């Protein structure tokens, strides 16, 4: 059986729940993901990372993400506000943003899609289910051909 060589991605995760952060780090280790994972704990910090502001000035240390995993219930700026800000900037118009949340509200889901999320996923219960979801996401996104950013003059 031939194994498909997957691309390494830079993934930015905006998550304030320490249990979910720990589960994510554990899954990264368990599955041996070679991806770069950067975790921020609130909406403002997520935007600072994206726009290389504050402690995220150096883009060689904090590279542009290939994918964002975005929780909705974040301190300072919630996930919807972050998503709306991201989509207002041309440079992030096509950046994949997956909302990964505990919310089951139809209004949250609809607003997420209205603001331009790529997908809206409910966090599964239990570590094994959560880890398998991350593994599936990683496999899928490592095979997707990314949007080619136009060269600027």
């Amino acid at each position: 059986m031939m194994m498909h060589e997957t691309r390494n991605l830079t993934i930015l995760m905006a998550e304030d729940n320490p249990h979910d952060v720990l589960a994510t780090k554990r899954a990264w280790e368990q599955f041996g993901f070679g991806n770069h994972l950067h975790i921020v704990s609130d909406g403002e910090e997520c935007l600072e990372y994206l726009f290389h502001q504050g402690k995220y000035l150096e883009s060689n240390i904090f590279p542009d993400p290939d994918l964002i995993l975005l929780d909705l219930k974040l301190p300072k700026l919630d996930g919807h506000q972050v998503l709306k800000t991201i989509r207002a900037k041309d440079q992030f118009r096509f950046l994949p943003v997956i909302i990964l949340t505990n919310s089951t509200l139809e209004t949250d889901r609809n607003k997420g899609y209205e603001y331009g999320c790529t997908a809206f996923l409910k966090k599964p219960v239990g570590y094994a289910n959560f880890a398998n979801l991350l593994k599936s996401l990683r496999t899928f996104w490592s095979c997707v051909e990314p949007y080619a950013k136009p060269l600027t003059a």
Side-chain angles (χ1 to χ4, degrees):
M1 176 198 277
M2 194 168 127
M3 293 297 291
H4 175 70
E5 189 65 34
T6 55
R7 285 185 302 118
N8 275 338
L9 303 171
T10 296
I11 298 174
L12 176 60
M13 181 178 207
E15 176 60 66
D16 67 319
N17 182 319
H19 298 293
D20 290 342
V21 169
L22 186 61
T24 301
K25 288 179 178 178
R26 190 171 148 208
W28 239 248
E29 216 171 90
Q30 177 183 343
F31 295 121
F33 293 164
N35 307 80
H36 304 286
L37 176 67
H38 298 275
I39 300 174
V40 294
S41 59
D42 65 57
E44 281 183 6
E45 191 179 359
C46 183
L47 294 177
E48 285 174 0
Y49 182 102
L50 277 176
F51 295 111
H52 298 292
Q53 298 169 339
K55 65 182 180 183
Y56 300 106
L57 284 175
E58 297 183 52
S59 58
N60 59 326
I61 298 173
F62 305 105
D64 291 338
D66 297 297
L67 172 67
I68 296 178
L69 300 176
L70 181 65
D71 188 25
L72 286 182
K73 295 181 180 14
L74 293 170
K76 298 185 182 176
L77 288 176
D78 71 24
H80 286 123
Q81 293 169 303
V82 170
L83 181 59
K84 200 172 181 180
T85 303
I86 290 170
R87 290 300 185 233
K89 301 294 181 188
D90 281 345
Q91 75 219 62
F92 300 123
R93 205 165 40 137
F94 299 109
L95 175 63
V97 178
I98 297 175
I99 293 175
L100 187 57
T101 184
N102 286 319
S103 175
T104 56
L105 296 176
E106 188 176 312
T107 53
D108 279 345
R109 185 174 65 242
N110 289 346
K111 194 187 287 188
Y113 283 117
E114 180 186 328
Y115 290 163
C117 76
T118 308
F120 188 100
L121 300 175
K122 171 113 176 51
K123 289 178 189 171
V125 176
Y127 170 74
N129 295 327
F130 184 74
N132 283 328
L133 175 67
L134 291 176
K135 185 178 181 185
S136 297
L137 279 173
R138 190 255 184 200
T139 301
F140 176 77
W141 282 105
S142 64
C143 296
V144 167
E145 288 297 322
Y147 171 74
K149 298 174 190 162
L151 297 175
T152 53

